[in-house]
Amino acid sequence: MTDVETPHAASEGEPRAEVRVVDAPLRPPSDTTGLMEVFRRRYLLRLLVKREISARYQGSFLGLLWSYINPLSQFLIYYFIMQIVIGRGQFENFAVHVFCGLIVVHFFTETFNAGTRSIVRNKSLVQKMAVPREMFPVASMLVSLFHVVPQLVILVAVSLLYGYTPDPGAFAAASLALAIVMVLGTALALLFSTANVFFRDFSSAVNILTNFTRFGVPMIYPYTMVQERFGSAAEYYLWNPMANAVLLVQRGFWVGTTKDPEETARVHLPANLFELGLWSLLGSLVLLVVAQRVFSRLEQRIPERL
Amino acid sequence: MSDSIVVDHATKNFTLRYHRTLKDITVAMSRGRAISDTFQAVDDVSFTVGQGESIGLMGLNGSGKSTLLKLIIGVMRPDSGEVLTRGRVSGLIATGAGFHPQLTGRENIFLNAAILGMTEQETKAKFDDIVEFAEVGRFLDTPVGTYSSGMYARLGFAVAIHVDSDVFLADEVLAVGDRPFKKKCLERMQEIRHSGRTVFYVSHSAGSVRKMCDRVIVLEKGRVAYDGEVDAGIRFLKYDDPGQPDLDDEIGADI
Ligand SMILES: Nc1ncnc2c1ncn2[C@@H]1O[C@H](COP(=O)(O)OP(=O)(O)O)[C@@H](O)[C@H]1O
Ligand SMILES: [Mg+2]
């Protein structure tokens, strides 16, 4: 006891052992650069994403295998219903068509839903630690993106069974589609995660909203049907970035599984699909910038409202 | 001596929300009652702390100490006035905030260190020291959800104390933890103080403030009621109880 106390007693009244010179400017500690800050602290982001993923499969025997079983069972359900029960014979490999859409829609709704709840869910961190708060919606998006991988693996495997041969265009189309959903999902997650802090109603509303997503995209119906029913108004249908993302993934995989890919693409996809995709990406980026602006303004009142 | 923390007429308002649901709001409006009311948790506070100073922040519960610390660490932003800091600020506002109960102690050390701004290399280099300091022994690889609250706190404190910051904040963190651990923490904070880092220490314990700090700031209802020399500050609070031994009065001081 005494020998521990001695240095204290001795140090009292003594001059400081060191003078620390801090070579930094005085600045407001709450200043962050938003999404740039998230990128700067990507090590933390990686750990948060890992935490989320490993927590989800905690205590599960099959663990990550579930992320393969889920999409596979979904595919089989659609295969059974669409191809065998309803028997849309005139439409080639309709289950693959649906599955392409399902992956995109799922990625989007997961990002949107989990992202909207992310800040409230990480309450204790947000209230007590100096972490850029954009971190949480972005992490939600990355967790959802992580779950896209097994779905893509299954999609590729199924497509190969149908005699699919990959081409560079397919790769570009799928990448563009993912980029659109990543940006759009993050933008909406940013916007609604703050809103959800003020009124928890938003997470319920978003949940309902996302239920509609699958009907607003050419997934369980082909794009040709939209064209037939709405004629020139089908152009407005393609203002929806999600519709383009789905069509791009179908361009990437489903088209390649049909007997005559060129003919399928000509009949079932808009001619300027890549152009539309790039516009969708641009639109989503603009929304992301707006979302970041709104987030920065609302964020100041987040910790006390939680 | 350069300025480390500058707080200039900082004010933080909170809203007391009486009514939240649609029903409550309609009822309140129809009866002409206020829907919300604001108050100042930190009210026009100004002070400057030089690099290397060690400040004891004292005051009754609810006087705004934690809120002030949140302004300094940057979790909250003042509604008016300004708060400026120099260099890296870190510390513990709440022990183990950000711990994930399902992750093991080891995983949580890495996660918490990253939250506090440490890089992977830094954490790896200090990992053994952190584990040794936390004394969680073979529970290192069990989920922290099963830890006792003392162990939880020890782990949180161990990580925070190893961050190489220029300003170290501690908010009533020693209120949990057992006596030997408290002693160890105070020693460690003493080291931090002697390495020239600025220390901002919230405590109700006159004894540990006297040992740790060279200046006391007392908050009363969000305003600075006293700012100056330690002994006079403690007398100002009438906390001084000569019958109490130094370390023991930290115990049970924050309820
Ligand atoms: N998020 C919040 N919303 C509304 N009031 C709050 C919030 N956080 C703290 N307060 C109030 O602010 C006052 C000061 O709180 P705090 O800074 O925690 O005090 P201390 O740490 O000195 O005990 C208290 O009256 C508390 O109820
Ligand atoms: Mg407090």
Side-chain angles (χ1 to χ4, degrees):
Chain A
M1 181 96 190
T2 354
D3 44 298
V4 198
E5 295 282 86
T6 325
H8 288 182
S11 67
E12 266 170 15
E14 261 184 22
R16 277 293 147 74
E18 275 178 55
V19 177
R20 194 182 179 101
V21 181
V22 183
D23 183 26
L26 270 174
R27 56 170 204 90
S30 53
D31 267 7
T32 76
T33 44
L35 287 170
M36 294 301 286
E37 184 82 1
V38 174
F39 181 72
R40 203 178 60 76
R41 296 187 66 179
R42 54 194 178 278
Y43 165 60
L44 172 59
L45 182 64
R46 204 175 76 214
L47 290 187
L48 286 173
V49 171
K50 251 171 70 180
R51 173 191 83 172
E52 203 64 28
I53 292 167
S54 64
R56 191 175 303 188
Y57 296 106
Q58 259 266 322
S60 133
F61 178 63
L62 292 177
L64 263 179
L65 217 54
W66 281 113
S67 60
Y68 287 85
I69 299 172
N70 274 338
L72 187 63
S73 68
Q74 294 250 12
F75 175 77
L76 292 176
I77 289 168
Y78 280 101
Y79 178 78
F80 188 70
I81 305 277
M82 295 294 174
Q83 229 145 308
I84 299 182
V85 178
I86 301 177
R88 297 185 68 114
Q90 80 279 23
F91 207 82
E92 265 188 281
N93 309 339
F94 198 64
V96 181
H97 181 273
V98 173
F99 196 60
C100 286
L102 206 63
I103 290 175
V104 175
V105 168
H106 208 150
F107 179 25
F108 174 74
T109 53
E110 279 287 300
T111 303
F112 197 2
N113 275 320
T116 299
R117 285 190 307 265
S118 62
I119 289 185
V120 172
R121 243 163 31 86
N122 287 288
K123 214 176 172 149
S124 68
L125 264 185
V126 173
Q127 279 173 318
K128 286 158 194 155
M129 307 292 230
V131 181
R133 296 184 256 268
E134 287 86 352
M135 198 72 106
F136 303 104
V138 172
S140 300
M141 185 274 286
L142 291 175
V143 170
S144 313
L145 182 63
F146 176 85
H147 285 106
V148 169
V149 176
Q151 302 183 23
L152 279 179
V153 168
I154 288 180
L155 178 62
V156 170
V158 165
S159 302
L160 288 173
L161 286 180
Y162 278 105
Y164 162 78
T165 37
D167 62 300
F171 183 76
S175 308
L176 183 55
L178 285 183
I180 292 170
V181 183
M182 282 170 74
V183 176
L184 183 65
T186 307
L188 290 170
L190 270 180
L191 274 177
F192 283 83
S193 60
T194 36
N196 195 42
V197 172
F198 296 94
F199 291 100
R200 304 292 143 89
D201 311 57
F202 277 98
S203 57
S204 316
V206 165
N207 213 340
I208 294 175
L209 210 64
T210 52
N211 280 340
F212 290 107
T213 318
R214 62 184 66 212
F215 302 107
V217 299
M219 178 174 108
I220 46 176
Y221 53 84
Y223 173 64
T224 22
M225 201 185 83
V226 181
Q227 272 180 321
E228 278 159 23
R229 298 279 160 86
F230 299 107
S232 58
E235 190 192 320
Y236 297 106
Y237 180 88
L238 293 176
W239 282 44
N240 176 5
M242 285 301 293
N244 289 318
V246 168
L247 287 167
L248 281 165
V249 174
Q250 287 166 348
R251 160 67 186 87
F253 300 95
W254 170 69
V255 165
T257 64
T258 56
K259 278 186 212 84
D260 186 352
E262 264 164 49
E263 179 64 9
T264 312
R266 197 185 59 74
V267 174
H268 290 288
L269 298 179
N272 53 346
L273 181 58
F274 277 94
E275 191 188 318
L276 286 167
L278 287 173
W279 279 114
S280 298
L281 184 59
L282 190 70
S284 305
L285 282 169
V286 171
L287 187 66
L288 185 64
V289 172
V290 173
Q292 169 74 77
R293 289 269 171 86
V294 175
F295 192 93
S296 304
R297 299 195 74 183
L298 292 178
E299 152 187 74
Q300 297 177 27
R301 301 219 71 96
I302 286 181
E304 64 232 51
R305 294 295 294 260
L306 271 167
Chain B
M1 188 164 63
S2 66
D3 293 342
S4 178
I5 305 172
V6 177
V7 178
D8 184 22
H9 297 286
T11 296
K12 181 74 197 169
N13 301 312
F14 283 134
T15 312
L16 290 173
R17 275 157 304 127
Y18 299 141
H19 311 290
R20 245 204 112 123
T21 65
L22 181 63
K23 186 179 143 212
D24 292 340
I25 290 175
T26 10
V27 169
M29 290 214 298
S30 64
R31 297 194 183 155
R33 267 195 267 133
I35 292 172
S36 69
D37 194 6
T38 64
F39 74 102
Q40 279 87 43
V42 170
D43 189 3
D44 195 25
V45 167
S46 298
F47 58 85
T48 303
V49 179
Q51 181 65 46
E53 263 192 286
S54 175
I55 311 287
L57 183 61
M58 305 181 84
L60 301 176
N61 285 329
S63 55
K65 305 183 296 295
S66 299
T67 308
L68 181 58
L69 241 53
K70 283 179 183 174
L71 294 177
I72 294 173
I73 208 167
V75 169
M76 286 179 181
R77 195 181 293 226
D79 291 308
S80 66
E82 203 175 30
V83 175
L84 300 170
T85 55
R86 192 191 302 278
R88 194 161 165 190
V89 182
S90 90
L92 268 193
I93 296 245
T95 11
F99 276 177
H100 199 287
Q102 291 178 348
L103 299 185
T104 65
R106 181 188 303 273
E107 290 167 318
N108 269 306
I109 288 178
F110 276 94
L111 181 60
N112 215 241
I115 289 167
L116 292 168
M118 273 160 86
T119 64
E120 192 171 6
Q121 293 86 318
E122 250 181 302
T123 317
K124 279 189 178 142
K126 290 178 181 162
F127 187 80
D128 292 336
D129 286 345
I130 295 175
V131 173
E132 197 193 310
F133 193 89
E135 290 175 41
V136 289
R138 56 205 181 83
F139 295 103
L140 182 62
D141 287 305
T142 47
V144 299
T146 62
Y147 284 18
S148 75
S149 59
M151 286 162 71
Y152 207 83
R154 283 210 302 261
L155 195 64
F157 199 80
V159 180
I161 216 161
H162 281 88
V163 180
D164 187 27
S165 60
D166 303 304
V167 180
F168 182 79
L169 311 173
D171 187 0
E172 300 183 30
V173 281
L174 303 184
V176 264
D178 47 26
R179 203 187 134 105
F181 187 70
K182 270 177 198 168
K183 219 172 114 187
K184 194 160 83 170
C185 289
L186 283 175
E187 276 161 26
R188 196 48 174 266
M189 280 173 54
Q190 215 48 273
E191 275 172 34
I192 290 182
R193 176 187 174 199
H194 290 295
S195 66
R197 292 159 65 181
T198 308
V199 173
F200 217 90
Y201 175 48
V202 176
S203 175
H204 291 292
S205 148
S208 62
V209 168
R210 195 173 282 133
K211 264 202 196 125
M212 272 294 304
C213 308
D214 29 45
R215 176 173 157 199
V216 163
I217 295 176
V218 177
L219 285 185
E220 232 166 51
K221 293 183 178 149
R223 292 179 154 270
V224 177
Y226 174 90
D227 180 354
E229 194 262 324
V230 176
D231 282 318
I234 291 168
R235 243 175 287 127
F236 179 90
L237 271 166
K238 302 181 190 71
Y239 266 13
D240 217 4
D241 182 347
Q244 261 181 333
D246 267 1
L247 262 167
D248 275 347
D249 56 3
E250 175 77 27
I251 299 167
D254 323 292
I255 315 124

